[in-house]
Amino acid sequence: MGIAIRVTVNGNEHSHEVDPRTLLVYYLRETLRLTGTHVGCDTSSCGACVVLVDGTAVKSCTMLAVQADGCSVTTIEGMSNNGDLHPLQESFRDEHGLQCGFCTPGMIMSAADLLMKNPDPSEEEIREGLEGNLCRCTGYHNIIKSIRLAAEKLNA
Amino acid sequence: MASLIGKSVKRVEDKRFITGKGKYTDDIVLPRMSYAVIVRSPFAHAKIKNVDTSKALAHPGVVAIFTGKDIADSGIGGVPCGWQVDFKNGDTMKEPPHPLLVADKARYAGDGVAVVIATDQATAKDAAELVVVDYDPLGVIVDAAKAVEEGAAQVHDEAPSNMCFDWELGNPKAEVDAAIEASHHVTTLEFVNQRLVANAIEPRCAIGDYDPSTEKYTLYTSTQNPHLIRLLMCAFVLGIPEHKVRVVSYDVGGGFGSKIFHYAEEALMTWCAKQLERPVKWTAERSESFKTDAHGRDHVTKAEMGFDAEGNIIALRVNTFANLGAYLSTFAPCVPTYLHGTLLQGLYTTPKINVDVTGVFTNTTPVDAYRGAGRPEATYLLERLLDTAALEMNVDPAKLRLQNFIPPFDGVNQEGYMTQVALQYDSGDYHTVLEKALEMVGYEDFRKEQEAAREEGRLLGIGFSTYIEACGIAPSAVVGALGARAGLYESSQVRIQPTGKVSVYTGSHSHGQGHETTFAQVVADKFGIALEDVEIVHGDSEAVAFGMGTYGSRSLAVGGSAIVKSIEKVLEKGAKIAAHKLEASPEDLEYAGGQWTVKGTDKSIAFGDVALTAYVPHDYPEGLEPGLDFSSFYDPANFTYPYGAHIAIVEIDRETGVVTLQRFIAVDDVGNVINPMIVDGQIHGGLAQGIGQALYEGVIYDESGQLANGSYMDYTMPRADDLPNFEIDRTVTPCPHNPLGVKGCGEAGAIGSTPAVVNAVMDALRPFGIKHVEMPCTPERVWNAMNS
Amino acid sequence: MIPSKFKYQKAGSVADAIRLLSETDGEAKLLAGGHSLLPSMKLRLSEPDALIDISKLEELKSIRKDGNTLVIGAGCTHHAIATSSLVEGHMSMISQAGHMIGDPHVRNVGTIGGSLAHADPAADWPALMLAANAVIVVRGPGGERQINAGDFFKSLFFTALNDNEIITEIRIAAPPHGAHSAYAKFHSPASRYAIVGCAAFLQLDGLNCLSARIAFTGASSTPFRDTGVENALVGKAINEESIHEAAQLAAEGVQMMTDHFASEKYRRNLARVYAKKAIRAAAGL
């Protein structure tokens, strides 16, 4: 039995009937074909699936698509504006904050929330703020630097 | 144009990853695609009495179900092993069949029993729960050392006492025994190098596709190694013609070794696609990855090191049981032998070494290469012995190392160093890396700080590790003699387009390493053209002629060298065309800055003009073929030998045993460096994994063979707030035998860091007189050690 | 990773949710933040027939004062509680705990009501509820009930909440003059759940301890008040020595949990250490 939902994703409104058990991440990936949001685990641990729902970072694997009815969702695909990269995207590139790229969208979306709540975080605060995101490539060293750089850019 | 070599060029591949446009296997959706879920044995060892698929088949949306019996009846082969290590007495290693799905008996919790295919993922998942398998549980063995004992459960009838092989290397055992006997001091350690899960954040995924009109197969898979997968799958498993199979692996979300191997699911999806004539996709859930991605390490070792009265190492004796798991994964036999035993010389002049390794089967997930593969085990063994010996002999651990290091040699003016364990090191200056690291850490000041802290009751510790690794894998003839069933060269193709733009096809595979940037830097630099004018293509067997993939820190040393060979061919032919256009002889030309110039004149022709001439050969050298497109194979002359010195500083909380890593210093020598930013990133990542092994990670099996920590809720992955900023530097000793002088940097961090951290923990615990704490040094283990 | 099929109903109000709960005869689960429920459904450890979505009910999301009593709506997220100045001003250990739960995403979405109803033995809130002497307000077809935190947690994943009831709010009475509190937690390095969490609530007159409520989570299969530690503190001057002595009694006689992160013996040690940390922090030492 499908449930009708209306969701704004990256500024575009979508209406679909979804099986209630559809997780938001699968709605984004499979129905909308926005595959930048990734699935890295099945225990809501890794953070590869983080998106913003009404401006707040959420693990999209731990939310039903039906719960996003009426919400505004931002995914990694919605972070750049007319081809201009978001300062976080730029900074991840500048500081080599990614290697395989799989955790990167979740990292960037989590960092976006972090910087909204704390625009000038210390290194320690960034490390704590990434408690819900796993990266296996970078040792986090350059991710921390990337987020610091983005904070500086956004505060400039 | 300024040289691009040694420049921290920003990565060209990043744009797609930071905008969510990466193309990972699970992102691919094909028309009429169906979805597979594999029914796996919940038992570690059980007879399969019956598989009832009737209810599942009747579930709406189910397309097909295949069981182990269907696979057996189809006559297709099992998953092959790519390396043979024979018994000491010459007997061939035991190599029991590894079917894609098991029909009669499950040998580890996670062994595939049936595959359920449905029109969508959720339906496949629902239906898989309706498959009823009647198991008859059998006795279980999980421990490597116990597997050979009498009465242990037998994993395979073909392998009595669960032995796959026994093997030794080095000086004759009697000589080493005598040297140990004659030693002034012998340091002995018995320990476990625990089992780890690679945990690439992208779970494995495979999509099989078959086009009946062309009889062509396509396998999309998250692999480090597309061509080798094609070869193994075609020749050994499915018996299908290789030229009718395309293997594609676009973006891969991390590998760390675990995606080198040919997995059952790859062949299974390809086979199912043929049966159903529609695409079939399988994507692992994380809990499935924990159970079925090949694990790493799992050695049970006794090691003894003998010293003379002056503290010189005079002998090393090692006995290891290596857990291979339930079946032989692709490179499994090679890891504890030729990637482990051969590294036991370390950086030291030890004159007598004997290593004995027994590879055993157990009712556990197969074990194979994980970042470092064998070399971290060798390094941990040596470096724990060195620090323990220093403690026992009451000498400084840094000085003990410096005293025993092999003297510097460059491999050009001085010969490479012949070890007691079959390798010849290429070049090295081992004293300098350690001295540099000691300077960075401020060693003398730290010892004072440590003493003051101890007086306050605080537990500070410093730990050292120096390492060497054999990378740039590998000279084919050498590895062939050692049991490899493949050559380990690499291929390249450098195609100059008519407009002078360059397409490069490499058999190396990037799953995070940044080849699209580093390789392009090499190519752009050699041609003197802009980086943007070079495109690196990899990961598609239809685009790239052949390849041996990426592992063993081999991509730049072997794959990059193959590219250089093709570049040289392009330049040689280009010179002929340029000479014709400039009315000079090729010998009178020099190539620099993207143009050929007649020496001593201002007569020149640009690279792009020569390229155009090659494809529009109106005014062209007689007898010369049109076009400017060369391919090459490069087979390395030797391994490369990166090395380094790592130092960790930890503080231990007395009340809880929590270890806090305060500082980590790494000085590595990976030979020449093309992109320092990328090399640093590789070191960082390796460090995190090595530190993870020391403090956090480790697979726990219970006695019934159940994986007790098979999720991120239970298996501790290092997180951002667990790690410090890394302090890293390097020295540069070029590799003398490859054209780029590079040695490889992918595994260094994971190899050097682990023992440094554990040694630091032991140093911090010195007031308690404790000799060893097993990894991972969890709070409880450390607390127990302090309170025992 | 994909839950079993279920019927989804969105409640328009608390009354609506109670009606839907009653109709499904206990086979439905309430979906609030979903951060305990959905993970277990994804692994098919939990397969409810129906979900009643209360995640959007604004009436459950307020944090307010009722006279001197702090009232936290059951639908408030951990983040909302952690960052509420009303909460901080009322009882600081509640804010502290809000900052320590799970990870930022869990805190952004997970709710206090959901956590209490789930009663995970390693969840943080139960210890806080006990130490705060909170009242958990639940509503069902028969009306409203107020349950003292001490009577709420029955056993592993089992509470005093009936199948057809919903937690609506948590009430925390005004702390007496001289009240101080703190929460200290030793988290699992993997899941970030509490291996041992200790909430300490002290009423001090100068340094003299007039009353104490010390509660643990993670240590045992149910959260518990530790009267042994409390009694050792009351009537004493709070200093390093008295804290140490009291903390040595932590979890005495309690059946401790054991897992691969912490054996019973080590957990007992952690209980002592974290009792000390929490009491020390509460007393401002």
Side-chain angles (χ1 to χ4, degrees), chain B residues 126 655-656 719 721 780, chain C residues 44 190 192 263 266 269 276:
Chain B
D126 294 342
E655 290 188 315
T656 60
R719 302 200 196 201
D721 59 356
E780 172 156 17
Chain C
R44 301 199 171 188
R192 309 271 155 153
S263 65
Y266 180 62
N269 171 64
K276 208 154 55 176

Side-chain angles (χ1 to χ4, degrees), chain C residues 108-205:
Chain C
N108 281 344
V109 184
T111 66
I112 187 168
S115 170
L116 295 177
H118 186 60
D120 190 304
D124 297 283
W125 287 132
L128 280 299
M129 296 299 101
L130 291 172
N133 214 8
V135 170
I136 294 157
V137 182
V138 308
R139 213 184 294 165
E144 196 167 275
R145 290 200 292 152
Q146 301 211 347
I147 307 172
N148 287 327
D151 300 323
F152 186 79
F153 304 101
K154 294 297 187 191
S155 61
L156 198 72
F157 300 110
F158 185 67
T159 69
L161 192 68
N162 290 326
D163 281 346
N164 52 9
E165 286 178 321
I166 173 171
I167 302 175
T168 54
E169 58 193 32
I170 291 89
R171 300 176 73 89
I172 300 172
H177 184 71
H180 300 270
S181 68
Y183 181 61
K185 172 185 182 181
F186 186 89
H187 67 220
S188 151
S191 71
R192 309 271 155 153
Y193 269 93
I195 288 178
V196 166
C198 179
F201 178 92
L202 306 175
Q203 188 194 356
L204 302 179
D205 177 13

Side-chain angles (χ1 to χ4, degrees), chain B residues 121-122 125-126 129 285 287 653 655-658 696 700 708-709 711-717 719 721-722 778-780 783-784 787, chain C residues 1-5 42-44 47 103 186-193 259-263 265-266 269-270 273-274 276-277 280:
Chain B
Q121 184 75 34
K125 181 110 183 148
D126 294 342
E129 290 191 341
E285 298 190 355
S287 43
D653 180 45
E655 290 188 315
T656 60
V658 168
Y696 303 112
I700 302 168
N709 58 344
S711 85
Y712 290 149
M713 300 295 275
D714 302 297
Y715 183 99
T716 308
M717 292 275 280
R719 302 200 196 201
D721 59 356
D722 294 321
T778 58
E780 172 156 17
W783 183 81
N784 278 337
N787 289 283
Chain C
M1 185 66 191
I2 300 172
S4 304
K5 275 191 178 295
K42 286 192 293 182
L43 296 173
R44 301 199 171 188
E47 297 181 284
D103 61 44
F186 186 89
H187 67 220
S188 151
S191 71
R192 309 271 155 153
Y193 269 93
D259 57 35
H260 67 261
F261 290 115
S263 65
K265 187 175 159 208
Y266 180 62
N269 171 64
L270 288 177
V273 173
Y274 278 76
K276 208 154 55 176
K277 285 182 195 283
R280 224 189 252 149

Side-chain angles (χ1 to χ4, degrees), chain A:
Chain A
M1 186 191 61
I3 304 256
I5 60 168
R6 219 159 75 183
V7 192
T8 304
V9 180
N10 302 331
N12 302 314
E13 212 173 278
H14 299 274
S15 297
H16 286 97
E17 284 223 337
V18 295
D19 181 340
R21 64 170 158 170
T22 307
L23 301 170
L24 177 59
V25 64
Y26 289 126
Y27 175 71
L28 296 170
R29 285 180 57 79
E30 286 166 12
T31 307
L32 302 185
R33 297 293 295 136
L34 292 168
T35 54
T37 304
H38 298 145
V39 177
C41 76
D42 48 11
T43 49
S44 311
S45 310
C46 78
C49 66
V50 171
V51 300
L52 301 181
V53 177
D54 292 335
T56 296
V58 166
K59 285 178 172 163
S60 64
C61 74
T62 314
M63 182 170 180
L64 302 173
V66 289
Q67 290 180 286
D69 183 28
C71 293
S72 173
V73 176
T74 308
T75 70
I76 188 69
E77 289 92 342
M79 286 297 272
S80 51
N81 189 3
N82 290 328
D84 290 338
L85 295 177
H86 186 278
L88 270 164
Q89 292 172 308
E90 270 178 9
S91 301
F92 268 70
R93 181 169 194 234
D94 289 347
E95 294 286 7
H96 190 30
L98 65 148
Q99 290 180 28
C100 81
F102 197 80
C103 77
T104 312
M107 285 285 177
I108 289 178
M109 303 316 284
S110 295
D113 187 3
L114 172 69
L115 294 182
M116 279 186 280
K117 288 174 177 155
N118 181 0
D120 189 21
S122 66
E123 184 202 316
E124 200 186 332
E125 287 168 332
I126 296 172
R127 288 188 181 272
E128 281 169 8
L130 296 180
E131 204 177 356
N133 293 78
L134 293 176
C135 169
R136 194 57 155 170
C137 293
T138 64
Y140 305 98
H141 184 109
N142 286 344
I143 292 178
I144 312 301
K145 280 168 74 179
S146 304
I147 297 172
R148 261 312 309 165
L149 178 64
E152 282 160 28
K153 283 185 188 172
L154 285 161
N155 293 333

Side-chain angles (χ1 to χ4, degrees), chain C residues 212-236:
Chain C
R213 289 194 297 267
I214 308 295
F216 285 99
T217 190
S220 186
S221 59
T222 343
F224 61 93
R225 277 268 297 273
D226 197 321
T227 49
V229 179
E230 293 172 0
N231 292 338
L233 291 169
V234 174
K236 300 254 172 64

